[in-house]
């Protein structure tokens, strides 16, 4: 599986030379390979996933800042509304969403969540989008 993951990541780098290697790509490729037996179809799924508006915005110059400003703001608001104690603690410790959210989004949570939980997040993302 490691060889297939490496092959798909390298293939994507060749497929999109202007973008090249993306941090977190191996987590996405590996997660797809867990559910797909055909390596080529896993590559196609990876390429399609990385060509969504969210990921495409990240790869533009200054895209990261533009793409995530609204997401960070929305995350802070939802955090304050739904778990105010955590929001207060984050404010007190000066923890901003940009310190942790980028990794979550670039790997679609597959690096930090248990496999079954990450699979559920992926189901929701692929079904409903951003």
């Amino acid at each position: 599986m490691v060889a297939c993951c490496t092959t798909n990541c390298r293939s994507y780098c060749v497929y999109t030379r202007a973008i090249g290697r993306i941090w977190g790509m191996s987590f996405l490729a590996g997660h797809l390979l867990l559910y797909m037996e055909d390596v080529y179809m896993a590559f196609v799924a990876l390429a399609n996933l990385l060509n969504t508006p969210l990921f495409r915005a990240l790869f533009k110059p200054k895209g990261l800042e533009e793409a995530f400003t609204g997401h960070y703001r929305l995350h802070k608001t939802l955090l304050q509304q739904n778990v105010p104690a955590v929001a207060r603690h984050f404010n007190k410790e000066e923890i901003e969403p940009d310190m942790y959210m980028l990794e979550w989004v670039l790997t679609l949570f597959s690096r930090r969540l248990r496999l079954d939980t990450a699979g559920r997040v992926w189901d929701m993302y692929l079904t409903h989008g951003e």
Side-chain angles (χ1 to χ4, degrees):
M1 181 160 135
V2 172
C4 295
C5 185
T6 302
T7 299
N8 278 356
C9 289
R10 287 181 179 164
S11 298
Y12 187 79
C13 291
V14 171
Y15 173 66
T16 58
R17 289 188 190 276
I19 296 171
R21 177 124 170 86
I22 303 161
W23 185 91
M25 177 192 304
S26 59
F27 292 99
L28 301 174
H31 199 89
L32 289 167
L33 285 167
L34 289 173
Y35 295 99
M36 305 176 95
E37 293 179 18
D38 185 351
V39 176
Y40 174 73
M41 291 310 296
F43 167 75
V44 171
L46 177 67
N48 287 335
L49 182 64
L50 293 175
N51 282 323
T52 59
L54 173 67
F55 283 100
R56 295 303 293 177
L58 296 175
F59 311 141
K60 292 184 209 169
K62 294 199 176 197
L64 183 63
E65 186 178 318
E66 292 173 11
F68 275 89
T69 302
H71 287 82
Y72 290 149
R73 211 174 313 121
L74 176 62
H75 176 73
K76 281 185 94 164
T77 301
L78 291 173
L79 197 63
Q80 289 169 346
Q81 290 174 355
N82 295 299
V83 272
V86 174
R88 282 191 303 275
H89 178 71
F90 279 15
N91 287 336
K92 178 183 169 198
E93 298 297 325
E94 298 180 0
I95 299 172
E96 294 295 325
D98 61 344
M99 300 169 117
Y100 55 88
M101 267 187 71
L102 183 60
E103 176 191 304
W104 291 356
V105 172
L106 285 177
T107 64
L108 288 180
F109 298 91
S110 60
R111 183 171 183 203
R112 293 290 173 197
L113 297 178
R114 291 184 354 217
L115 189 58
D116 60 328
T117 307
R120 183 70 178 132
V121 169
W122 278 54
D123 286 346
M124 297 302 290
Y125 179 79
L126 295 174
T127 302
H128 301 289
E130 284 182 46

